[in-house]
Amino acid sequence: MSTYRVAQVATAGGPFELAEREVPQPGPGHVRIAVDACGICRSDAMFVNAALPGVGFPVVPGHEIAGRVEVLGDGTEDQGWQAGDRVAVGWFGGSCGHCTPCRQGDFVVCDNLKAPGWAYDGGYAEAVIVPAGALARIPGSLTAADAAPLACAGVTVFNGLRRSSARHGDLVAVLGIGGLGHLAVRYAVAMGYETVAIARGAAKSDFAKQLGAHHYIDSTAGMSVADALQSLGGAKVVLATAANSAAIAATVDGLTHRGELVVIGADSEPLGINPAQLIMRSRTVRGHASGTAQDIQDTMEFSALHGIRPMIEVLPLNRAGEAYDKMLSGAARFRMVLTTG
């Protein structure tokens, strides 16, 4: 093909439009991917609305990419990649290799992180060029549409749990059972935790149990979330996927001694936590962001092994605007995915 289609936004906050571009060739250390599927993440709104520095327009969002290696740039074969390899790329779209975090081996917090849709065109497209270091292999049992959301939503909660202080049998709570949380509950159960799902309304109890949760807490019921967690013995870890600072802060007193609050849901409002809540019980609060290409591959392999798949709605690339709006409205159940086939 000599041209390929992208779904782009021409100005900050503008509508999506389809455009055709000349097919680019990958430079040294890069590959061109034929995109089969791309998930839509709430973080894409930061690029569409120019909420981050350095966003250029027109912008092609998309950092939940699944496809096939099509063309290899110089040096990539030495890294073990071949044309036709099925690969995924997530929020981690490459790192600089020379900043202090990179020199310490902590690539996902690189000072110059190359997130697709920000550092270069993202996956709302039929093709994308990415650094070979950002590639993760997709297991044969995963479809592209299932693999795509695991490259961001999946790896974020998977890594958040496996790098937490929780151990087998510990009580672990997941706040929110939406696009991130529905995967987090399933991972927590598969990792051997006594799993609590926390959400708004009694109607979500059955869904939480379908995901495998051992307990459900309705945050709108009479008992506070903290008291409900303490009635279960106190949570060793709360994984906060809901983007609601008040709801996140309400879980802190539900942590056991030396319990850990892992914050994933992004909200612009400050967390209402006082020092005494942390000091008296030696509790910890930390943020967590995504994972490297190897972490993405680990997530996909774990998902394949345990039969875990994201709950998705699929629309074609030419309906990117509709899919994006549905994600923003909160009506998606639970991840919107664009396909190019």
mmCIF file of all heavy atoms in Angstrom, residues 52-82:
data_model
loop_
_atom_site.group_PDB
_atom_site.id
_atom_site.type_symbol
_atom_site.label_atom_id
_atom_site.label_comp_id
_atom_site.label_asym_id
_atom_site.label_seq_id
_atom_site.Cartn_x
_atom_site.Cartn_y
_atom_site.Cartn_z
ATOM 1 N N LEU A 52 -1.463 18.108 27.882
ATOM 2 C CA LEU A 52 -0.076 17.818 28.209
ATOM 3 C C LEU A 52 0.838 18.674 27.337
ATOM 4 O O LEU A 52 0.489 18.994 26.196
ATOM 5 C CB LEU A 52 0.231 16.334 27.970
ATOM 6 C CG LEU A 52 -0.460 15.347 28.915
ATOM 7 C CD1 LEU A 52 -0.224 13.918 28.452
ATOM 8 C CD2 LEU A 52 0.022 15.529 30.340
ATOM 9 N N PRO A 53 1.998 19.037 27.842
ATOM 10 C CA PRO A 53 2.894 19.883 27.048
ATOM 11 C C PRO A 53 3.443 19.125 25.837
ATOM 12 O O PRO A 53 3.688 17.920 25.899
ATOM 13 C CB PRO A 53 4.022 20.221 28.030
ATOM 14 C CG PRO A 53 3.999 19.112 29.031
ATOM 15 C CD PRO A 53 2.566 18.721 29.168
ATOM 16 N N GLY A 54 3.630 19.848 24.743
ATOM 17 C CA GLY A 54 4.279 19.274 23.576
ATOM 18 C C GLY A 54 3.391 18.496 22.646
ATOM 19 O O GLY A 54 3.883 17.882 21.683
ATOM 20 N N VAL A 55 2.069 18.485 22.881
ATOM 21 C CA VAL A 55 1.163 17.794 21.961
ATOM 22 C C VAL A 55 1.060 18.609 20.669
ATOM 23 O O VAL A 55 0.754 19.799 20.707
ATOM 24 C CB VAL A 55 -0.237 17.603 22.577
ATOM 25 C CG1 VAL A 55 -1.196 16.982 21.560
ATOM 26 C CG2 VAL A 55 -0.157 16.739 23.826
ATOM 27 N N GLY A 56 1.329 17.965 19.550
ATOM 28 C CA GLY A 56 1.253 18.642 18.256
ATOM 29 C C GLY A 56 0.029 18.206 17.470
ATOM 30 O O GLY A 56 -0.442 17.071 17.620
ATOM 31 N N PHE A 57 -0.483 19.099 16.658
ATOM 32 C CA PHE A 57 -1.674 18.799 15.858
ATOM 33 C C PHE A 57 -1.344 18.879 14.375
ATOM 34 O O PHE A 57 -0.484 19.672 13.964
ATOM 35 C CB PHE A 57 -2.805 19.772 16.225
ATOM 36 C CG PHE A 57 -3.360 19.529 17.605
ATOM 37 C CD1 PHE A 57 -2.811 20.155 18.708
ATOM 38 C CD2 PHE A 57 -4.410 18.647 17.790
ATOM 39 C CE1 PHE A 57 -3.297 19.912 19.980
ATOM 40 C CE2 PHE A 57 -4.909 18.399 19.057
ATOM 41 C CZ PHE A 57 -4.360 19.031 20.160
ATOM 42 N N PRO A 58 -2.024 18.028 13.574
ATOM 43 C CA PRO A 58 -3.045 17.055 13.981
ATOM 44 C C PRO A 58 -2.441 15.925 14.814
ATOM 45 O O PRO A 58 -1.311 15.528 14.593
ATOM 46 C CB PRO A 58 -3.580 16.531 12.651
ATOM 47 C CG PRO A 58 -2.463 16.718 11.687
ATOM 48 C CD PRO A 58 -1.762 17.974 12.117
ATOM 49 N N VAL A 59 -3.240 15.453 15.767
ATOM 50 C CA VAL A 59 -2.787 14.387 16.652
ATOM 51 C C VAL A 59 -3.537 13.101 16.322
ATOM 52 O O VAL A 59 -4.745 13.120 16.065
ATOM 53 C CB VAL A 59 -2.970 14.772 18.132
ATOM 54 C CG1 VAL A 59 -4.445 14.903 18.507
ATOM 55 C CG2 VAL A 59 -2.293 13.760 19.041
ATOM 56 N N VAL A 60 -2.801 12.001 16.304
ATOM 57 C CA VAL A 60 -3.387 10.666 16.148
ATOM 58 C C VAL A 60 -3.196 9.945 17.479
ATOM 59 O O VAL A 60 -2.081 9.531 17.804
ATOM 60 C CB VAL A 60 -2.704 9.873 15.016
ATOM 61 C CG1 VAL A 60 -3.347 8.487 14.885
ATOM 62 C CG2 VAL A 60 -2.789 10.625 13.698
ATOM 63 N N PRO A 61 -4.256 9.820 18.300
ATOM 64 C CA PRO A 61 -4.097 9.181 19.613
ATOM 65 C C PRO A 61 -3.970 7.663 19.472
ATOM 66 O O PRO A 61 -3.979 7.112 18.371
ATOM 67 C CB PRO A 61 -5.380 9.565 20.350
ATOM 68 C CG PRO A 61 -6.099 10.543 19.470
ATOM 69 C CD PRO A 61 -5.619 10.293 18.082
ATOM 70 N N GLY A 62 -3.891 7.016 20.634
ATOM 71 C CA GLY A 62 -3.930 5.561 20.668
ATOM 72 C C GLY A 62 -2.677 4.927 21.221
ATOM 73 O O GLY A 62 -1.655 4.883 20.532
ATOM 74 N N HIS A 63 -2.750 4.414 22.460
ATOM 75 C CA HIS A 63 -1.607 3.747 23.062
ATOM 76 C C HIS A 63 -1.992 2.364 23.595
ATOM 77 O O HIS A 63 -1.387 1.864 24.548
ATOM 78 C CB HIS A 63 -0.991 4.608 24.174
ATOM 79 C CG HIS A 63 -1.949 4.987 25.259
ATOM 80 N ND1 HIS A 63 -2.683 6.149 25.228
ATOM 81 C CD2 HIS A 63 -2.301 4.353 26.403
ATOM 82 C CE1 HIS A 63 -3.443 6.225 26.298
ATOM 83 N NE2 HIS A 63 -3.230 5.124 27.035
ATOM 84 N N GLU A 64 -2.975 1.738 22.967
ATOM 85 C CA GLU A 64 -3.306 0.340 23.244
ATOM 86 C C GLU A 64 -3.338 -0.375 21.892
ATOM 87 O O GLU A 64 -4.388 -0.698 21.361
ATOM 88 C CB GLU A 64 -4.652 0.222 23.966
ATOM 89 C CG GLU A 64 -4.637 0.791 25.372
ATOM 90 C CD GLU A 64 -5.948 0.583 26.122
ATOM 91 O OE1 GLU A 64 -6.980 0.244 25.480
ATOM 92 O OE2 GLU A 64 -5.961 0.757 27.348
ATOM 93 N N ILE A 65 -2.170 -0.598 21.346
ATOM 94 C CA ILE A 65 -2.006 -1.019 19.961
ATOM 95 C C ILE A 65 -1.732 -2.518 19.883
ATOM 96 O O ILE A 65 -0.899 -3.041 20.623
ATOM 97 C CB ILE A 65 -0.843 -0.254 19.302
ATOM 98 C CG1 ILE A 65 -1.059 1.262 19.404
ATOM 99 C CG2 ILE A 65 -0.648 -0.678 17.853
ATOM 100 C CD1 ILE A 65 0.183 2.079 19.088
ATOM 101 N N ALA A 66 -2.413 -3.199 18.965
ATOM 102 C CA ALA A 66 -2.139 -4.604 18.668
ATOM 103 C C ALA A 66 -2.111 -4.781 17.158
ATOM 104 O O ALA A 66 -2.995 -4.296 16.453
ATOM 105 C CB ALA A 66 -3.197 -5.509 19.292
ATOM 106 N N GLY A 67 -1.087 -5.457 16.675
ATOM 107 C CA GLY A 67 -0.982 -5.646 15.226
ATOM 108 C C GLY A 67 0.135 -6.603 14.874
ATOM 109 O O GLY A 67 0.511 -7.482 15.664
ATOM 110 N N ARG A 68 0.683 -6.430 13.668
ATOM 111 C CA ARG A 68 1.729 -7.311 13.150
ATOM 112 C C ARG A 68 2.901 -6.485 12.640
ATOM 113 O O ARG A 68 2.699 -5.458 11.998
ATOM 114 C CB ARG A 68 1.183 -8.149 12.004
ATOM 115 C CG ARG A 68 0.127 -9.184 12.405
ATOM 116 C CD ARG A 68 -0.771 -9.544 11.242
ATOM 117 N NE ARG A 68 -1.719 -8.467 10.945
ATOM 118 C CZ ARG A 68 -1.743 -7.803 9.793
ATOM 119 N NH1 ARG A 68 -0.872 -8.077 8.831
ATOM 120 N NH2 ARG A 68 -2.640 -6.850 9.607
ATOM 121 N N VAL A 69 4.106 -6.955 12.925
ATOM 122 C CA VAL A 69 5.291 -6.294 12.386
ATOM 123 C C VAL A 69 5.248 -6.423 10.866
ATOM 124 O O VAL A 69 5.123 -7.524 10.321
ATOM 125 C CB VAL A 69 6.585 -6.915 12.933
ATOM 126 C CG1 VAL A 69 7.805 -6.317 12.233
ATOM 127 C CG2 VAL A 69 6.680 -6.707 14.436
ATOM 128 N N GLU A 70 5.352 -5.291 10.197
ATOM 129 C CA GLU A 70 5.242 -5.268 8.738
ATOM 130 C C GLU A 70 6.597 -5.015 8.076
ATOM 131 O O GLU A 70 6.975 -5.710 7.129
ATOM 132 C CB GLU A 70 4.239 -4.190 8.331
ATOM 133 C CG GLU A 70 3.767 -4.264 6.901
ATOM 134 C CD GLU A 70 2.612 -3.306 6.658
ATOM 135 O OE1 GLU A 70 2.663 -2.158 7.133
ATOM 136 O OE2 GLU A 70 1.657 -3.718 5.966
ATOM 137 N N VAL A 71 7.313 -4.011 8.561
ATOM 138 C CA VAL A 71 8.628 -3.666 8.004
ATOM 139 C C VAL A 71 9.571 -3.388 9.168
ATOM 140 O O VAL A 71 9.212 -2.708 10.126
ATOM 141 C CB VAL A 71 8.544 -2.426 7.090
ATOM 142 C CG1 VAL A 71 9.925 -2.085 6.536
ATOM 143 C CG2 VAL A 71 7.558 -2.655 5.948
ATOM 144 N N LEU A 72 10.794 -3.922 9.065
ATOM 145 C CA LEU A 72 11.788 -3.732 10.120
ATOM 146 C C LEU A 72 12.831 -2.713 9.697
ATOM 147 O O LEU A 72 13.328 -2.755 8.568
ATOM 148 C CB LEU A 72 12.494 -5.054 10.436
ATOM 149 C CG LEU A 72 11.624 -6.173 11.009
ATOM 150 C CD1 LEU A 72 11.298 -7.183 9.919
ATOM 151 C CD2 LEU A 72 12.314 -6.852 12.177
ATOM 152 N N GLY A 73 13.139 -1.792 10.609
ATOM 153 C CA GLY A 73 14.243 -0.874 10.390
ATOM 154 C C GLY A 73 15.565 -1.543 10.720
ATOM 155 O O GLY A 73 15.602 -2.634 11.305
ATOM 156 N N ASP A 74 16.651 -0.911 10.365
ATOM 157 C CA ASP A 74 17.976 -1.468 10.617
ATOM 158 C C ASP A 74 18.171 -1.763 12.100
ATOM 159 O O ASP A 74 17.809 -0.958 12.968
ATOM 160 C CB ASP A 74 19.058 -0.491 10.158
ATOM 161 C CG ASP A 74 19.104 -0.345 8.648
ATOM 162 O OD1 ASP A 74 18.537 -1.219 7.958
ATOM 163 O OD2 ASP A 74 19.701 0.632 8.173
ATOM 164 N N GLY A 75 18.727 -2.921 12.379
ATOM 165 C CA GLY A 75 19.062 -3.281 13.745
ATOM 166 C C GLY A 75 17.992 -4.015 14.519
ATOM 167 O O GLY A 75 18.271 -4.557 15.583
ATOM 168 N N THR A 76 16.769 -4.056 14.007
ATOM 169 C CA THR A 76 15.682 -4.683 14.769
ATOM 170 C C THR A 76 15.694 -6.202 14.672
ATOM 171 O O THR A 76 15.215 -6.878 15.577
ATOM 172 C CB THR A 76 14.316 -4.144 14.320
ATOM 173 O OG1 THR A 76 14.184 -4.310 12.910
ATOM 174 C CG2 THR A 76 14.185 -2.668 14.660
ATOM 175 N N GLU A 77 16.228 -6.740 13.580
ATOM 176 C CA GLU A 77 16.317 -8.195 13.479
ATOM 177 C C GLU A 77 17.247 -8.749 14.555
ATOM 178 O O GLU A 77 17.045 -9.852 15.061
ATOM 179 C CB GLU A 77 16.793 -8.605 12.090
ATOM 180 C CG GLU A 77 15.729 -8.406 11.002
ATOM 181 C CD GLU A 77 16.200 -8.892 9.649
ATOM 182 O OE1 GLU A 77 17.426 -9.037 9.474
ATOM 183 O OE2 GLU A 77 15.347 -9.123 8.779
ATOM 184 N N ASP A 78 18.264 -7.962 14.911
ATOM 185 C CA ASP A 78 19.196 -8.391 15.961
ATOM 186 C C ASP A 78 18.507 -8.474 17.319
ATOM 187 O O ASP A 78 19.013 -9.108 18.237
ATOM 188 C CB ASP A 78 20.379 -7.421 16.059
ATOM 189 C CG ASP A 78 21.237 -7.426 14.802
ATOM 190 O OD1 ASP A 78 21.159 -8.408 14.040
ATOM 191 O OD2 ASP A 78 21.967 -6.443 14.575
ATOM 192 N N GLN A 79 17.338 -7.816 17.436
ATOM 193 C CA GLN A 79 16.578 -7.861 18.682
ATOM 194 C C GLN A 79 15.564 -9.006 18.682
ATOM 195 O O GLN A 79 14.785 -9.149 19.612
ATOM 196 C CB GLN A 79 15.862 -6.526 18.905
ATOM 197 C CG GLN A 79 16.806 -5.339 19.042
ATOM 198 C CD GLN A 79 16.050 -4.040 19.276
ATOM 199 O OE1 GLN A 79 15.069 -3.994 20.015
ATOM 200 N NE2 GLN A 79 16.521 -2.965 18.656
ATOM 201 N N GLY A 80 15.580 -9.807 17.608
ATOM 202 C CA GLY A 80 14.733 -10.992 17.565
ATOM 203 C C GLY A 80 13.398 -10.813 16.891
ATOM 204 O O GLY A 80 12.555 -11.730 16.927
ATOM 205 N N TRP A 81 13.179 -9.668 16.243
ATOM 206 C CA TRP A 81 11.889 -9.427 15.603
ATOM 207 C C TRP A 81 11.930 -9.812 14.130
ATOM 208 O O TRP A 81 12.963 -9.671 13.468
ATOM 209 C CB TRP A 81 11.474 -7.959 15.751
ATOM 210 C CG TRP A 81 11.353 -7.552 17.181
ATOM 211 C CD1 TRP A 81 12.192 -6.746 17.882
ATOM 212 C CD2 TRP A 81 10.341 -7.972 18.102
ATOM 213 N NE1 TRP A 81 11.776 -6.630 19.186
ATOM 214 C CE2 TRP A 81 10.638 -7.373 19.349
ATOM 215 C CE3 TRP A 81 9.224 -8.797 17.997
ATOM 216 C CZ2 TRP A 81 9.851 -7.571 20.478
ATOM 217 C CZ3 TRP A 81 8.437 -9.000 19.124
ATOM 218 C CH2 TRP A 81 8.745 -8.388 20.343
ATOM 219 N N GLN A 82 10.785 -10.291 13.645
ATOM 220 C CA GLN A 82 10.646 -10.662 12.241
ATOM 221 C C GLN A 82 9.319 -10.138 11.714
ATOM 222 O O GLN A 82 8.360 -9.947 12.477
ATOM 223 C CB GLN A 82 10.694 -12.181 12.069
ATOM 224 C CG GLN A 82 11.991 -12.829 12.489
ATOM 225 C CD GLN A 82 11.970 -14.339 12.314
ATOM 226 O OE1 GLN A 82 10.984 -14.900 11.832
ATOM 227 N NE2 GLN A 82 13.051 -14.995 12.714
#
